[in-house]
Amino acid sequence: MSLQLEFDVAAPRDAAPLLDDQSIHLWRIPYASPQRRAPLVALLAGYLGVTEATVRLDDDARGKPHLAVATGARGDDAMLEFNWSHSGDYALIALARSGVVGVDIERLGKDLRPIEIARRFFDAGEADVLEALDPGARDRAFIGLWCAKEAVLKAVGEGLSFGLARLAFAHVAGADWHLSAVDPVLGEARDWRVSGFDPAPGYRGCLAWRDGNRRILAFQPAKALTG
């Protein structure tokens, strides 16, 4: 499934009341690597209704960040689920009140070796599909597939070492892919929703979550989240 998104301008504190168990909020923010996690912390503080200084993030054993301490946050808010990714000049941050959510963004136009990488790390059927595509379409399809795999793995806190071939996708069209099979550790393919989209010109993104349909609300800040 492909998402057609319009990123509405909003402040995190104003968007926070709109987030419920049936929705996911997706933020696109300008980003530079020296900022590290400062914009993420600023966004979480807005949703929690606390100061940035009170937000603490811990990494689990696989490196996925989660909320550790947010002094003054209500109990429900302290359970806020989130995931983030950055590439080039942008970061994407996904937030949910329940379940697991993963997001990935990749800049197009990189120096790619799609067939070599796919034959080495991907499911054989995926590599066959990529090899059959025209070179112009192949790179975009490859980035879309990479984003889809990353988004699912990030949702459950797994990294690339889990094995990219342990989840398989069928090509739909363009950069879109449909999850067709997953390792039982990740549940069942039918339980997942994996949606690709274009977050900005020259970029591809993907959002993944488990257990049911959700409304996707997309936002961008009126001013930079600097932390």
Side-chain angles (χ1 to χ4, degrees), residues 123-139:
D123 175 79
E126 296 166 342
D128 290 342
V129 168
L130 289 170
E131 193 163 20
L133 294 174
D134 292 334
R138 183 182 298 146
D139 284 357

Side-chain angles (χ1 to χ4, degrees), residues 73-203:
R74 297 173 302 182
D76 290 346
D77 287 339
M79 298 303 293
L80 187 67
E81 295 289 335
F82 68 91
N83 192 240
W84 83 311
S85 175
H86 52 84
S87 179
D89 298 324
Y90 291 98
L92 295 176
I93 302 173
L95 304 105
R97 295 286 183 197
S98 62
V100 295
V101 61
V103 68
D104 191 59
I105 181 173
E106 299 291 341
R107 181 171 55 85
L108 301 173
K110 297 180 179 180
D111 184 16
L112 302 174
R113 305 185 310 279
I115 301 304
E116 178 184 341
I117 292 173
R119 288 295 178 202
R120 183 175 179 185
F121 297 110
F122 288 3
D123 175 79
E126 296 166 342
D128 290 342
V129 168
L130 289 170
E131 193 163 20
L133 294 174
D134 292 334
R138 183 182 298 146
D139 284 357
R140 182 170 171 80
F142 172 80
I143 288 293
L145 178 57
W146 183 276
C147 285
K149 288 177 178 282
E150 280 264 48
V152 172
L153 291 178
K154 290 178 67 180
V156 295
E158 293 286 357
L160 299 180
S161 61
F162 178 81
L164 294 173
R166 293 170 69 182
L167 55 165
F169 287 80
H171 190 224
V172 179
D176 284 333
W177 297 81
H178 172 73
L179 184 63
S180 57
V182 295
D183 188 286
V185 172
L186 302 180
E188 297 186 28
R190 66 169 179 262
D191 295 331
W192 285 92
R193 305 293 184 270
V194 184
S195 298
F197 59 95
D198 294 326
Y203 290 82

Side-chain angles (χ1 to χ4, degrees), residues 3-11 15 24-30 43 47 85 90-95 103-105 195-201 203-207 216-222:
L3 292 173
Q4 301 298 320
L5 298 174
E6 294 290 338
F7 290 86
D8 296 327
V9 176
I24 292 173
H25 285 190
L26 180 67
W27 284 81
R28 181 189 66 193
I29 61 176
L43 185 70
Y47 270 74
S85 175
Y90 291 98
L92 295 176
I93 302 173
L95 304 105
V103 68
D104 191 59
I105 181 173
S195 298
F197 59 95
D198 294 326
Y203 290 82
R204 187 65 180 174
C206 189
L207 182 66
I216 311 301
L217 303 179
F219 302 100
Q220 59 182 332

Side-chain angles (χ1 to χ4, degrees), residues 54-75:
T54 65
V55 177
R56 297 288 183 271
L57 300 179
D58 281 344
D59 291 350
D60 64 20
R62 300 180 182 89
K64 182 180 181 180
H66 60 87
L67 280 167
V69 178
T71 304
R74 297 173 302 182

